[in-house]
Amino acid sequence: MHKNKYKYVSIVSAAAVLLLLGIYMWMTYRSVTKDIEERAGAQLTWAMFYESYTRADIVTEGDTLSLPEARRNLSLASSVEGMNDALSRKYHSEISLDTVAMYVDSLLSVAGINRDVTVQEIRDKEGKRERVIRENNDRRSSWSLMTKPVSIRRDGSRAIRLALNNPYPELARRLSPLFLISAIILGFFAIIIIQLLRFITEQEQMTELRNDFSYAMVHDMKSPLSSIIMGAHFLHSGKVDDKPQIKEKYYSIIEDEAEHLLALVNKLLTISKLENKKLILNKHETDLQPIIDDLVEKAKAKATKPIEITTHLEVKNVLADEQYLTEAIANLIDNAVKYSKDEIKIEIKSWDTDKHVLLKVRDNGIGMTKEEQQVIFDKFGRAAIHEKNRKGGVSGFGLGLNYVDQVMQAHGGKVTVSSEKDKFSEFTLYIPKEKNENKRKEI
């Protein structure tokens, strides 16, 4: 699998989602701020109308205020513009920012908008209302929101606008649900991306392990196949026809190696059946003593190093499938011999608990690290460290312990390991006492 390719695709996808989410949040923020500005601007227009109406009533002294150059537009903003233009030209009366601020304060309070504002009079400079002539306070900052200016001259040369100095409480109140939902979406998306990358990594590791496993399996099968072919060619040559002892030796080698290959194939088939729950176990009362004695004799006969095996069986009868339990124990003893030091010492014990019979196989071999113990029962666990072992240690592709684990699960029990590097390894089989506990049936 192309991990980097999927990684880049995931990163680009995450960036695209973040960009779209950022654009959406920005547009929502602008929409909310625009709404606040428009609502505050409407209150400003009313405040200017009240101020202009009150001032006109005072300065005209009962005269009818003439609004020259009356427009067809009879809107509130047009009325405010006309009154202020007439009052300025005829009576030289300018709008009072403090009075406007007083009315704005009351109106904003009713509208539920923050009342920390600054009223500004601005002058049109080359068509842009940017120059501030005066303002009622100095609380305005660069973060203030500005309302749309309301004209107070017919020629549009002057206008009043409102600076909302602290719109953030309302912004927070209205945007917090969006930010919360966005955070949840981002968190959910991040989890998906992380899980996807983890899955890709695991699949890549599994592919590598399968490749190592295939290589190791072929490597281990090559030796017995070579021995069989070599022995068959030697016998076929006729060179040992008059030497019956040597001839019998070659026949024994061929037979042993063929049985070795058959055992490997049967182990693979058995594990496959166990994994797919297609194996029927014939569980019955089984005597451990003859099984252990036979396995011990075989181990001693095959050992090429000094070997000492002690047994102490407090419990000798278990409820199990004799064939598969025997094979599981044989794998543990074979591992103890295979991963031994110069002298082999193996201890086999059994004892009773409330629900299980425990069978322990302990050795004084090379042991395992914590990391190896975590994967040792996996189907491809041994393959992960096969390269190291192939260079300076034992061979094998890790079916043995997985087989033991599968067999114990089929019995409704389990296998555990305790080990220290360069000191010992101890495997414990938990064999259930109940006949119907976790019994696997053929599908």
Side-chain angles (χ1 to χ4, degrees), residues 11 20 23 45 56 101 119-120 123 160 164 179 187 207 235 239 241 265 312 314 324 348 370 372 441:
I11 293 174
L20 291 175
I23 293 173
T45 305
V119 181
Q120 297 178 319
R123 174 177 292 174
I160 301 296
L164 304 172
F179 290 153
T207 300
L235 291 171
K239 294 180 179 180
D241 288 345
V265 173
H312 180 66
E314 294 181 8
Y324 294 110
I348 303 174
K370 294 294 183 182
E372 290 172 340
K441 296 181 179 181

Side-chain angles (χ1 to χ4, degrees), residues 268-285:
L268 281 168
L269 293 175
T270 300
I271 289 176
S272 178
K273 289 181 179 180
L274 287 169
E275 288 178 336
N276 292 283
K277 301 182 180 180
K278 292 184 177 180
L279 187 71
I280 297 177
L281 296 181
N282 182 21
K283 296 172 69 174
H284 58 271
E285 288 292 333

Side-chain angles (χ1 to χ4, degrees), residues 107-166:
L107 292 170
L108 292 181
S109 177
V110 175
I113 301 175
N114 191 279
R115 293 146 59 189
D116 182 7
V117 298
T118 299
V119 181
Q120 297 178 319
E121 181 179 355
I122 58 176
R123 174 177 292 174
D124 184 13
K125 182 181 180 181
E126 297 179 356
K128 297 182 180 180
R129 296 187 176 97
E130 294 180 347
R131 181 181 175 187
V132 178
I133 301 174
R134 58 192 176 113
E135 52 190 5
N136 72 315
N137 60 51
D138 59 355
R139 296 199 297 272
R140 180 177 61 88
S141 69
S142 58
W143 297 98
S144 299
L145 294 181
M146 299 297 180
T147 65
K148 186 177 179 180
V150 180
S151 176
I152 56 174
R153 293 290 187 271
R154 286 298 189 187
D155 60 3
S157 60
R158 293 193 181 186
I160 301 296
R161 71 180 179 188
L162 203 60
L164 304 172
N165 300 323
N166 188 24

Side-chain angles (χ1 to χ4, degrees), residues 396-411:
F397 47 92
L399 285 179
L401 291 178
N402 179 256
Y403 178 90
V404 175
D405 183 50
Q406 294 284 349
V407 167
M408 293 314 301
Q409 289 186 44
H411 280 79

